Amino acid sequence: MSDTQRGLFLSLEGTEGAGKSSNLAWIKEVLDSHNKNVLLTREPGGTPLAEEIRELLLAPRKELVCENTELLLIFAARAQHFQSLILPTLEQGRWVVSDRFTDASFAYQGGGRNMSFDTIQQLETLVQGSLRPDLTILLDLPVELGMQRAAKRGALDRFEQEDLEFFARVREAYLSRAEQNPSRYAVVDASQSLASVQEHIRDVLERLILS
Ligand code: Z5A
């Protein structure tokens, strides 16, 4: 199927407490109101096997998780998600909105863990070929504010236990990817009220639909 027949692929990204969960349903609501047939999904996860890998990845554990192990588990989950859900859905002409995708690997493993961006890029090509999201919405906010918001949620997973410097590197990596890919990225100021954030997201989506 040619790219013009397939549905559009959107990803939603952000650092800790940026409000992805709070805005995902809103994105679907806006797209539904424009009669787009949308599948919401998430990473890591999205299929039964990939959700099992998610649990392995997020569970706090005594054993130190090696960086390569983490990266390969993330891409193993992504390979399953991409081949068995994302690609077939796009090929049916439906839209897919994923709560995180490969930009998160560049930001968390590349930025946060200081892993090689080249290695991540090789895995990206192995798993996705040349397919990239058509639009990536980055919810951006100061790390301290995001951590304050996230702290209200209770028990912390393995990533949420990282320190402020880790999340500062993650944010920097996201912003630098946005700068490198200005036509794909829409950066939304997530420090604003939820209503303002949603208004901005609606504008971004309506511009995409009308383009
Ligand atoms: N990870 C990775 O390392 N590499 C990868 O390639 C991928 C993922 C794909 C799980 O991701 C972890 O996987 C993630 C990176 C890693 N770890 N971290 N951190 P996840 O996306 O499932 O988990 P998450 O980052 O914790 O996201 P989340 O649960 O969707 O939460 P959120 O984006 O941080 O936002 P929220 O729960 O919607 O909002 C947090 C609180 O703020 C909540 O109380 C809201 O009511 C409040 N909120 C939200 N927006 C506002 C505004 N605008 N004003 C005031 N208050 C607000």
Side-chain angles (χ1 to χ4, degrees):
M1 174 175 272
S2 76
D3 266 9
T4 49
Q5 288 167 296
R6 74 161 172 84
L8 292 192
F9 180 26
L10 278 56
S11 59
L12 181 62
E13 301 282 355
T15 45
E16 206 32 21
K20 290 182 302 87
S21 303
S22 310
N23 285 292
L24 205 64
W26 169 248
I27 291 177
K28 179 155 167 48
E29 205 177 308
V30 173
L31 294 177
D32 282 350
S33 74
H34 287 272
N35 301 315
K36 302 296 174 196
N37 185 346
V38 181
L39 171 81
L40 292 185
T41 185
R42 70 169 180 181
E43 288 215 344
T47 79
L49 172 56
E51 288 289 330
E52 283 185 39
I53 299 174
R54 177 190 176 91
E55 282 179 27
L56 290 177
L57 275 162
L58 298 194
R61 61 184 73 243
K62 287 199 184 113
E63 181 181 356
L64 182 76
V65 179
C66 302
E67 289 175 350
N68 280 337
T69 310
E70 180 178 285
L71 182 69
L72 291 170
L73 280 173
I74 286 169
F75 271 95
R78 180 164 298 135
Q80 186 67 20
H81 186 210
F82 186 76
Q83 281 300 324
S84 70
L85 186 67
I86 295 178
L87 206 51
T89 305
L90 293 172
E91 284 172 350
Q92 287 163 14
R94 295 183 67 195
W95 288 35
V96 174
V97 180
S98 186
D99 181 348
R100 295 198 189 281
F101 194 59
T102 307
D103 291 282
S105 305
F106 284 98
Y108 281 82
Q109 282 63 52
R113 305 249 189 259
N114 291 311
M115 296 189 76
S116 152
F117 288 102
D118 282 349
T119 305
I120 299 170
Q121 209 160 34
Q122 283 168 19
L123 291 169
E124 178 183 44
T125 304
L126 173 75
V127 166
Q128 300 158 227
S130 60
L131 201 139
R132 304 288 177 270
D134 298 290
L135 170 71
T136 296
I137 298 175
L138 172 61
L139 299 179
D140 177 60
L141 82 175
V143 170
E144 293 84 350
L145 176 58
M147 289 179 86
Q148 278 166 26
R149 284 187 190 168
K152 294 180 192 148
R153 285 186 309 203
L156 302 179
D157 68 34
R158 203 170 55 80
F159 288 95
E160 290 164 345
Q161 292 175 356
E162 294 292 343
D163 59 16
L164 198 124
E165 286 73 28
F166 175 89
F167 289 110
R169 289 195 300 278
V170 171
R171 182 187 187 202
E172 202 181 314
Y174 268 131
L175 289 173
S176 113
R177 282 187 70 72
E179 224 176 279
Q180 288 158 19
N181 302 281
S183 58
R184 172 164 71 87
Y185 261 90
V187 181
V188 171
D189 180 357
S191 66
Q192 304 294 309
S193 69
L194 191 56
S196 309
V197 171
Q198 292 186 336
E199 208 42 52
H200 191 164
I201 290 176
R202 183 209 289 277
D203 285 350
V204 168
L205 294 174
E206 292 188 339
R207 250 181 285 133
L208 175 73
I209 291 165
L210 295 174
S211 67

